[in-house]
């Protein structure tokens, strides 16, 4: 019994390999040059792991990387990756702009004569975890809440009952200027953080589910 | 296979796996991959049970505590996820592609024979030849870690001889949608 156990110990010490994944592009550090944000990856590596930086980006390392590619092929590659990076930056900017413009819509939909459901859509753009937010609403209001995909494929949170005003207040509270709203003993509200309050819209709808 | 894959849209369900099925999966892994019981034990302990996540196109991903470990298509061979392969690089036989092919692989393309037979590429010698239809780890010239996993479309000897068309079909690669999924 002693020998196989000794062998097993030896094997386990060698593996598993620990791989350093770049904080920016999540690929192993040596593949950052193929990612869309190469310059940021380089900065990240230099800041966080300065000991490894020369291993990948020193002069000899760069020379060795050229490898079997001819000079023109290499310069073509560089131009293309610069283009990709510019595109990725433009996309990130556009996404940021969208965030400012996009609205969160809180709809109050009539279900029966005196029963309503509240639908909240648009939270995704603000990086709110919909499932957690739905659970939070369900807990707070003691009713059912769920995440569904509506027509147009955008996820929305549907809460039973007419809670539109309360939801609005919750989001406002979670985003109080100064950022204090979340921590004041009302735990869980920080799920809703990040929503710009001016962008919320309350709507009433007389949708009849035929 | 995972070029367009989203956790919200493409997963139909998650089920725990019966222990009899788990045992058979363990034995298949032992036979298909270059792994022994102790290594298998280190990433898939005996006591833990994996979850079977069903995805579209008959793809099944097996996860342990949310983290995907390996997957299969239909009843085909088991492929480890790239993250797992990085930790245990010897799981699958190696093939190498040259530097110019890296960016195409990372965009999801299949590997053509010339990329494998050129100066920067690597194919095992005749005595370690890989048959057709075997999962392989794709390494890149000058890189330490695998950049993708593929399945051979031709024997390695045929790849060297014919040197035309697709040699290794890419199954998953760095930065694809499966790589992006941390937790299922």
């Amino acid at each position: 019994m002693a020998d196989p156990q000794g062998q097993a110990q030896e094997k386990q010490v060698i593996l598993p390999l620990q791989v350093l994944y770049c904080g920016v592009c999540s690929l192993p550090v040596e593949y950052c040059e193929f990612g869309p944000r190469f310059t940021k990856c380089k900065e990240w590596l230099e800041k966080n792991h300065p000991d490894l930086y020369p291993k990948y980006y020193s002069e000899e390392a760069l020379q060795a990387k050229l490898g079997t590619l001819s000079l023109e092929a290499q310069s073509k590659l560089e131009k293309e990756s610069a283009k990709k990076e510019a595109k990725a930056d433009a996309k990130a900017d556009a996404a940021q702009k969208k965030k400012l413009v996009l609205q969160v819509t809180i709809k109050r939909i009539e279900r029966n004569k005196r029963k309503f459901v509240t639908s909240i859509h648009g939270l995704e753009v603000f990086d709110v975890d919909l499932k957690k937010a739905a659970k939070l609403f369900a807990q707070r209001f003691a009713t059912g809440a769920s995440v569904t995909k509506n027509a147009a494929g955008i996820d929305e949170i549907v809460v039973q009952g007419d809670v539109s005003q309360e939801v609005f207040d919750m989001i406002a509270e979670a985003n109080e200027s100064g950022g204090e709203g979340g921590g004041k003993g009302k735990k869980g509200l920080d799920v809703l953080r990040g929503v710009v309050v001016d962008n919320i819209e309350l709507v009433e709808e007389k949708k009849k589910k035929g | 296979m995972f070029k367009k894959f989203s956790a919200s849209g493409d997963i139909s369900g998650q089920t725990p796996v019966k222990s009899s099925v788990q045992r058979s999966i363990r034995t298949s892994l032992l036979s298909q991959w270059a792994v022994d019981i102790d290594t298998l034990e280190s990433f898939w302990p005996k006591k833990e049970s994996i979850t079977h996540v069903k995805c579209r196109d008959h793809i099944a991903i097996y996860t342990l505590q949310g983290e995907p470990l390996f997957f299969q298509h239909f009843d085909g061979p088991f492929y480890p996820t790239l993250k797992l392969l990085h930790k245990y690089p010897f799981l699958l036989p190696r093939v190498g592609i040259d530097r110019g092919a890296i960016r195409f692989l990372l965009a999801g393309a299949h590997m053509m024979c010339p990329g494998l037979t050129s100066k920067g590429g690597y194919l095992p010698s005749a005595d370690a030849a890989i048959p057709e239809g075997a999962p392989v780890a794709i390494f890149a010239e000058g890189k330490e870690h695998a950049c993708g996993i593929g399945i051979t479309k031709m024997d390695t000897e045929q790849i060297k001889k014919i040197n035309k068309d697709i040699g290794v079909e890419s199954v998953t690669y760095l930065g694809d949608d499966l790589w992006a999924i941390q937790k299922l």
Side-chain angles (χ1 to χ4, degrees):
Chain A
M1 266 326 251
D3 208 22
Q5 285 231 343
Q7 264 190 347
Q9 290 267 326
E10 200 187 278
K11 291 225 171 88
Q12 273 177 340
V13 163
I14 309 180
L15 346 138
L17 265 177
Q18 287 288 30
V19 187
L20 178 63
Y21 294 115
C22 173
V24 178
C25 60
S26 86
L27 306 178
V29 171
E30 53 194 359
Y31 287 103
C32 284
E33 55 180 322
F34 298 105
R37 282 160 290 180
F38 182 36
T39 37
K40 300 220 185 69
C41 292
K42 266 171 97 163
E43 288 170 17
W44 179 90
L45 185 66
E46 199 170 359
K47 206 167 63 152
N48 296 21
H49 299 270
D51 43 334
L52 290 176
Y53 186 79
K55 179 168 162 212
Y56 294 107
Y57 297 117
S58 69
E59 267 313 303
E60 326 95 52
L62 287 174
Q63 277 295 343
K65 269 207 299 200
L66 278 185
T68 54
L69 274 187
S70 67
L71 216 56
E72 26 182 278
Q74 183 70 13
S75 56
K76 228 176 75 163
L77 254 187
E78 281 179 12
K79 265 200 275 173
E80 290 204 24
S81 55
K83 258 205 306 187
K84 263 204 332 188
E85 222 181 303
K87 258 187 25 180
D89 281 333
K91 252 175 76 170
D93 281 337
Q96 277 284 52
K97 294 233 180 79
K98 266 181 87 177
K99 268 196 180 188
L100 294 175
V101 170
L102 259 175
Q103 291 177 319
V104 172
T105 318
I106 306 182
K107 274 194 258 190
R108 189 179 83 139
I109 307 168
E110 190 177 318
R111 200 183 70 174
N112 286 332
K113 277 290 164 56
R114 60 180 186 90
K115 298 231 197 242
F116 296 91
V117 281
T118 314
S119 136
I120 309 154
H121 91 248
L123 280 179
E124 233 173 38
V125 197
F126 297 101
D127 291 332
V128 175
D129 184 349
L130 289 176
K131 276 187 89 166
K132 288 215 186 102
K135 262 205 138 163
L136 176 71
F137 292 142
Q139 252 189 349
R140 263 304 198 76
F141 308 129
T143 73
S146 61
V147 179
T148 49
K149 246 194 186 58
N150 68 348
I154 306 185
D155 286 339
E156 59 178 16
I157 302 182
V158 178
V159 183
Q160 294 169 14
D162 178 12
V163 294
S164 42
Q165 190 58 44
E166 284 104 334
V167 171
F168 182 74
D169 292 336
M170 272 177 82
I171 299 185
E173 203 182 312
N175 289 290
E176 230 154 83
S177 50
E180 276 298 314
K184 284 254 177 81
K186 299 269 182 187
K187 358 182 201 144
L189 270 185
D190 35 296
V191 164
L192 293 171
R193 213 176 266 164
V195 181
V196 178
V197 182
D198 310 315
N199 286 8
I200 310 186
E201 200 185 303
L202 267 83
V203 168
E204 252 190 53
E205 213 178 88
K206 287 231 159 175
K207 184 167 86 174
K208 266 292 169 87
K209 267 186 157 179
Chain B
M1 215 186 270
F2 293 99
K3 227 169 173 175
K4 275 260 156 114
F5 184 85
S6 71
S8 50
D10 296 327
I11 294 185
S12 24
Q14 297 201 16
T15 56
V17 183
K18 280 203 311 193
S19 28
S20 55
V21 179
Q22 287 205 43
R23 262 176 282 131
S24 67
I25 295 180
R26 272 188 219 265
T27 43
S28 337
L29 289 189
L30 286 175
S31 62
Q32 282 181 26
W33 299 349
V35 68
D36 59 345
I37 298 201
D38 303 314
T39 334
L40 184 64
E41 192 63 28
S42 62
F43 63 82
W44 180 10
K46 222 167 180 202
K47 294 277 177 166
E48 318 238 345
S49 58
I50 50 173
T51 313
H52 173 205
V53 179
K54 282 195 216 195
C55 315
R56 70 174 158 99
D57 289 342
H58 299 273
I59 298 179
I61 306 180
Y62 293 94
T63 68
L64 184 61
Q65 286 158 2
E67 194 187 330
L69 282 186
F70 49 92
F71 57 96
Q72 75 176 153
H73 179 58
F74 265 108
D75 280 317
F78 285 101
Y79 300 90
T81 41
L82 256 184
K83 292 226 168 89
L84 189 67
L85 185 67
H86 280 162
K87 291 195 203 146
Y88 305 94
F90 49 84
L91 280 185
L92 296 178
R94 275 177 78 117
V95 296
I97 51 172
D98 58 17
R99 197 167 149 75
I102 301 180
R103 42 185 286 263
F104 298 110
L105 176 69
L106 293 189
H110 301 304
M111 296 290 96
M112 302 287 156
C113 293
L116 298 155
T117 51
S118 68
K119 185 154 164 285
Y122 167 78
L123 283 174
S125 53
D127 50 346
I130 308 173
E132 178 186 336
V136 289
I138 305 175
F139 285 79
E141 174 198 343
K143 303 290 184 193
E144 199 187 325
H145 301 113
C147 54
I149 300 180
I151 178 170
T152 48
K153 278 280 144 217
M154 302 154 43
D155 297 345
T156 43
E157 292 307 299
Q158 280 184 342
I159 295 179
K160 288 183 204 166
K161 227 174 13 172
I162 307 180
N163 209 18
K164 254 177 182 284
D165 292 332
I166 296 185
V168 176
E169 208 176 81
S170 159
V171 168
T172 184
Y173 52 93
L174 272 182
D176 67 354
D177 288 331
L178 178 62
W179 174 265
I181 293 180
Q182 319 277 19
K183 224 171 142 48
L184 265 177

